[in-house]
Amino acid sequence: MAKAEKIEIYVNLCKGCEICVELCPVDALEMKDFKAAVKDLDKCIACMQCELRCPDFAIEVYKK
Amino acid sequence: MAKQVKFLQGNEAVCEGALYAGCRFYAGYPITPSTEVAEILAARLPKLGGRFIQMEDELAAMAATLGGSIAGKKSLTATSGPGMSLKMENLGYGYLTEIPCVIVNVMRGGPSTGLPTGPGQSDVMQARWGTHGDHPCIALTPSTVQEQLNETVRAFNLAEKYRMPVILLTDEIIGHMREAVEMPEPGDLTVIDRKRPTCDPKDYLPYKPEADGVAPMADFGSGYRYHITGLNHLPDGFPSNDGKLAQADEIRQQKKVDDHYDEIVVVDEMMCDDAEILIFAFGSTARSAKEAVQMARAEGIKVGLFRPLTIWPFPDKHLLKYKGKVKRVIVPEMNLGQTALEVERVLKGSPEVEGIFQIDSEPINPITILNKIKGGK
Amino acid sequence: MSYDYSKYLRKGKIPHIWCPGCGYGIIMKSMIRAIDSIGWEKDDVVMTSGIGCASRLPGYVDFNTLHTTHGRSLAFATGVKVANPKLNVIAMGGDGDMTAIGGNHFIHACRRNINITCFVFNNFIYGMTGGQYSPTTPKGSRATTAPFGNSDNQFDIAQLAIGAGATFVARTTTYHAVPMEKLMKQAFEHKGFSIVEIIAGCPTGYGRKNKLASPAGMIEWQKEHSVAIAQWEKMSEEEKAGKFPIGVLHDVEKPEYVEAYDANVGLS
Ligand code: SF4
Ligand code: SF4
């Protein structure tokens, strides 16, 4: 299973829609102060679903 | 060498003028009494490498005309009253976004379907204020078939020079009459092309005016990528909600016309020097007025004809010369007094304006005007 | 990072004006990737739009962009394309923009088969003006102008396009971000009038009023209610109820408008 090296979340761009959090298949993300945040990087399988569906260019996943 | 003379219909002369000016794109919708313009250009444009398209409606015709200009082609559309009403939406877009093109309105009776096959001059105020919002306006009013040709060339020149839509406000009588026209050779008439940018595309600001108040305009696809929007915008073309800047830009646009009054406004003043009575007439009505003036002069009446070829901007400066100088001013027009209002505004009661207003789909007869001249106030 | 969008985004224009969770950002990203994959030069791409949320898209991307009047995206696009057929013209707009106020331009662009790619962002509502019902708002749904539920029948945009003569018609959703990109590329490659209808969520104007789930819930809804066309064709009418087909729904060849015109009038 692919892994992520890091997940970059640009809080200035994030509008807090929760799409990434809710669509993440492994629950690796969470909301913090109305913005997306990484909950558990180890869980991330680098499926890119969050990055692909973020409407705001606010989340980038870097594969290992 | 003697010039080639052709016997042309007014609408045909518009086409000759457009092609002479370099028009290579036409988008239109059929409407009486302007349709010949479309029919002729459908046949002529391809021979010169241009294209014609008949759109699904007048809104689309105006939109496509602007689109053609944005792609770099001098573009024309022609219509009449009801079509002009529909064109207003995108004409306003053309003003705000400063896109050159020429719109021919062959005026007929109205409102609505009105009297479709007869002449009218009721779209004077529509030309000026028909679309919502404040904007500059240039509208030309030819009186002869020769002028249909020459003024169409001038309309393109003004559109290109000042980067804005220009209206050729003609009417059914001139559109459909036939007269001898001296055909201009290349070089006889000035042909102006829009300023295009020469700067590095990175530095291009599509709405940053130069000293003349006009910004160079790049063709889409020419390497200058930019944004055009009908929202009020900044010099870079992108929208802004700043009302103060929007106001400044609208005023700048109005000024680009106001500041060039002398270049834009053309008036034919016939026998006006010693005139005690001034006839203010444009378009086909000016033909009758001219005849009436000649008849009155033959009887020794000091009357002159003031005939604007540019109705917008209104020829204030030219007209002001007669304020307090002439005893009477008569405005014959095929509407219920639209330009008379403007003449009143300029002359401010000295003298009072006398109107001959007629909307019965018949031309105003020279005798009617002569009777008014002779009849006194 | 799987894709760097910065080459195509105008500097300083992001964040965009769309609401949190609006599907239009997802569409914009798929569109950028599709344009990148077809390899068009930015200078040769013209994007037109009308008025509404969808129509704000061209302001964000670094092409020749034309934000026009309400409904007139395709009319302006037609002028641009006929005047300079070398340009790659993409016209876009929302459901109201394209099929209500712009409906006449829409069907006639389909009929002409002019080589323009048209994207219709269908979120079932007028978003910019605050949630009034559009020609695609489902019957019974609530809108600010349908406080008792919408009484109108709906347009099926893809069927409308096919009926009017478009030669490439596809439908997708914002759930299908990657297939969307592929469909868009196919639409670009198609010679003639191509349409991609994209079902998108408007959490603010439509979602709230109709007590739908979150933005993510709207995306899940798209996944659950869309059916790939191959499977759709095998389904019974009962199975189809409440669902819609996605993928390439129509793909035929017909002479392209400008080419046909040029051949006809002797322009080469
Ligand atoms: S999808 Fe994007 S905008 Fe929405 S919460 Fe996640 S990072 Fe923020
Ligand atoms: S890449 Fe996939 S697994 Fe990783 S955080 Fe994003 S959605 Fe979750």
Side-chain angles (χ1 to χ4, degrees):
Chain A
M1 197 66 84
K3 284 280 159 195
E5 188 176 299
K6 70 169 174 180
I7 298 174
E8 196 89 64
I9 293 167
Y10 303 99
V11 286
N12 57 323
L13 293 178
C14 173
K15 289 180 183 161
C17 69
E18 305 187 20
I19 287 176
C20 58
V21 176
E22 288 188 42
L23 294 185
C24 172
V26 295
D27 199 22
L29 304 168
E30 64 182 342
M31 295 302 292
K32 241 186 206 163
D33 297 330
F34 304 106
K35 303 276 182 182
V38 181
K39 185 164 143 194
D40 188 348
L41 187 62
D42 278 348
K43 275 189 177 173
C44 173
I45 52 171
C47 69
M48 310 311 254
Q49 294 304 311
C50 55
E51 182 183 312
L52 205 57
R53 298 219 184 79
C54 168
D56 285 274
F57 305 92
I59 182 164
E60 286 170 359
V61 180
Y62 291 84
K63 279 188 192 163
K64 258 197 182 137
Chain B
M1 205 176 75
K3 293 258 184 272
Q4 195 194 356
V5 174
K6 278 190 182 170
F7 197 59
L8 295 181
Q9 188 209 46
N11 283 341
E12 210 176 353
V14 165
C15 300
E16 293 294 343
L19 295 173
Y20 186 96
C23 170
R24 292 297 176 266
F25 182 66
Y26 181 97
Y29 186 81
I31 184 165
T32 306
S34 77
T35 308
E36 295 84 3
V37 179
E39 290 171 342
I40 293 163
L41 288 177
R44 296 281 301 279
L45 274 169
K47 297 197 170 72
L48 295 165
R51 291 194 183 88
F52 167 94
I53 186 168
Q54 184 171 308
M55 295 299 288
E56 55 274 15
D57 57 36
E58 294 275 7
L59 305 153
M62 189 68 238
T65 301
L66 293 167
S69 181
I70 292 164
K73 297 284 188 295
K74 288 188 182 177
S75 302
L76 179 76
T77 188
T79 189
S80 186
M84 198 64 186
S85 295
L86 289 168
K87 281 186 154 69
M88 285 298 156
E89 174 198 56
N90 290 320
L91 181 59
Y93 184 86
Y95 287 127
L96 189 82
T97 55
E98 296 177 76
I99 298 169
C101 65
V102 175
I103 302 102
V104 181
N105 178 2
V106 189
M107 287 187 284
R108 65 190 224 190
S112 189
T113 312
L115 295 161
T117 55
Q121 293 182 312
S122 308
D123 305 349
V124 176
M125 286 297 170
Q126 184 202 39
R128 181 64 191 91
W129 300 114
T131 193
H132 63 284
D134 288 282
H135 58 85
C137 176
I138 299 178
L140 311 182
T141 46
S143 287
T144 65
V145 176
Q146 181 79 55
E147 284 176 357
Q148 293 273 96
L149 189 159
N150 294 37
E151 291 301 290
T152 301
V153 176
R154 197 163 77 88
F156 270 102
N157 287 347
L158 293 170
E160 293 284 313
K161 179 153 190 202
Y162 297 109
R163 205 185 146 171
M164 62 185 284
V166 169
I167 298 169
L168 189 85
L169 197 59
T170 181
D171 63 55
E172 189 276 334
I173 295 176
I174 311 161
H176 282 163
M177 75 168 31
R178 288 185 179 274
E179 283 183 321
V181 174
E182 224 175 61
M183 301 302 288
E185 299 284 328
D188 285 353
L189 304 176
T190 310
V191 170
I192 296 173
D193 291 331
R194 68 191 70 169
K195 287 190 288 189
R196 291 180 163 85
T198 50
C199 63
D200 188 306
K202 277 191 216 59
D203 304 326
Y204 179 53
L205 293 171
Y207 294 97
K208 182 160 187 288
E210 294 183 338
D212 58 357
V214 183
M217 179 172 164
D219 304 347
F220 268 15
S222 68
Y224 293 84
R225 294 187 302 278
Y226 67 108
H227 187 57
I228 303 177
T229 175
L231 289 160
N232 277 101
H233 41 261
L234 301 172
D236 64 6
F238 291 99
S240 156
N241 277 330
D242 187 326
K244 289 272 178 294
L245 292 177
Q247 174 170 317
D249 198 50
E250 294 299 338
I251 290 171
R252 189 262 307 166
Q253 289 196 30
Q254 182 62 51
K255 266 175 67 70
K256 81 183 172 182
V257 170
D258 291 349
D259 289 355
H260 297 93
Y261 176 99
D262 291 335
E263 280 177 52
I264 298 168
V265 179
V266 175
V267 179
D268 174 28
E269 293 161 276
M270 189 187 97
M271 301 184 206
C272 289
D273 286 345
D274 63 341
E276 293 170 356
I277 303 172
L278 195 71
I279 313 291
F280 182 106
F282 67 95
S284 62
T285 303
R287 302 171 69 94
S288 300
K290 186 176 175 184
E291 222 176 300
V293 165
Q294 282 160 344
M295 290 190 282
R297 281 276 171 181
E299 297 182 30
I301 305 169
K302 288 187 175 169
V303 52
L305 173 63
F306 185 101
R307 184 174 72 90
L309 281 107
T310 311
I311 199 91
W312 300 116
F314 202 73
D316 288 29
K317 203 167 127 185
H318 288 76
L319 192 57
L320 267 174
K321 289 184 298 198
Y322 303 98
K323 184 170 182 248
K325 197 186 149 211
V326 293
K327 296 200 180 89
R328 294 176 64 200
V329 168
I330 300 169
V331 182
E333 53 185 330
M334 288 187 280
N335 61 52
L336 294 182
Q338 297 186 17
T339 51
L341 281 174
E342 286 294 300
V343 176
E344 258 170 38
R345 177 183 60 76
V346 176
L347 298 181
K348 296 194 168 51
S350 52
E352 290 292 338
V353 173
E354 301 165 55
I356 303 173
F357 307 142
Q358 195 177 303
I359 51 168
D360 61 356
S361 198
E362 292 293 329
I364 298 176
N365 209 305
I367 298 296
T368 311
I369 302 171
L370 182 68
N371 287 343
K372 185 83 176 175
I373 294 169
K374 287 164 66 175
K377 282 196 191 190
Chain C
M1 189 173 57
S2 56
Y3 184 84
D4 181 4
Y5 296 91
S6 61
K7 179 183 166 196
Y8 293 97
L9 290 175
R10 282 175 164 143
K11 282 201 177 51
K13 301 295 172 204
I14 301 291
H16 49 62
I17 62 156
W18 298 315
C19 296
C22 171
Y24 290 176
I26 303 172
I27 301 174
M28 177 156 71
K29 289 164 69 182
S30 293
M31 188 184 306
I32 288 174
R33 296 194 306 272
I35 292 172
D36 192 27
S37 72
I38 198 164
W40 285 341
E41 288 296 326
K42 291 198 280 184
D43 282 340
D44 299 337
V45 175
V46 172
M47 252 184 210
T48 71
S49 65
I51 294 292
C53 298
S55 294
R56 287 305 188 95
L57 192 152
Y60 303 120
V61 286
D62 187 18
F63 303 106
N64 303 282
T65 54
L66 186 57
H67 176 219
T68 73
T69 44
H70 201 8
R72 318 292 169 227
S73 180
L74 280 165
F76 277 85
T78 300
V80 170
K81 185 71 183 178
V82 175
N84 185 357
K86 288 196 198 87
L87 297 169
N88 301 307
V89 181
I90 306 168
M92 64 197 69
D95 38 300
D97 191 58
M98 279 288 182
T99 67
I101 194 165
N104 202 30
H105 314 308
F106 182 80
I107 56 174
H108 286 277
C110 292
R111 171 180 67 83
R112 280 187 197 104
N113 197 35
I114 186 163
N115 194 13
I116 291 172
T117 302
C118 174
F119 296 141
V120 187
F121 299 18
N122 183 2
N123 62 3
F124 310 130
I125 205 83
Y126 284 92
M128 187 71 93
T129 44
Q132 297 74 32
Y133 65 91
S134 84
T136 59
T137 304
K139 206 167 194 151
S141 281
R142 300 209 175 242
T144 58
T145 45
F148 308 108
N150 181 24
S151 326
D152 280 25
N153 293 317
Q154 288 67 60
F155 263 146
D156 177 325
I157 294 177
Q159 287 303 324
L160 177 66
I162 294 168
T167 46
F168 180 94
V169 180
R171 186 191 283 124
T172 184
T173 82
T174 57
Y175 174 81
H176 301 88
V178 174
M180 185 191 328
E181 174 194 329
K182 304 270 182 300
L183 283 177
M184 286 172 158
K185 188 178 178 213
Q186 267 181 278
F188 293 149
E189 283 163 345
H190 178 81
K191 196 191 228 169
F193 193 68
S194 54
I195 288 211
V196 183
E197 176 192 357
I198 305 139
I199 309 291
C202 170
T204 314
Y206 186 74
R208 260 194 231 157
K209 201 89 193 160
N210 290 286
K211 305 199 170 53
L212 288 183
S214 59
M218 297 184 91
I219 293 176
E220 294 283 6
W221 180 93
Q222 293 161 14
K223 177 188 166 191
E224 283 154 18
H225 291 78
S226 56
V227 181
I229 183 68
Q231 194 192 331
W232 175 265
E233 279 163 354
K234 292 183 213 132
M235 282 162 65
S236 69
E237 286 309 310
E238 287 103 79
E239 288 170 321
K240 286 177 178 172
K243 303 220 154 103
F244 56 87
I246 56 167
V248 178
L249 308 182
H250 184 68
D251 187 1
V252 294
E253 273 186 39
K254 263 194 221 168
E256 192 277 327
Y257 175 80
V258 181
E259 281 189 9
Y261 172 89
D262 284 1
N264 206 21
V265 301
L267 270 171
S268 49

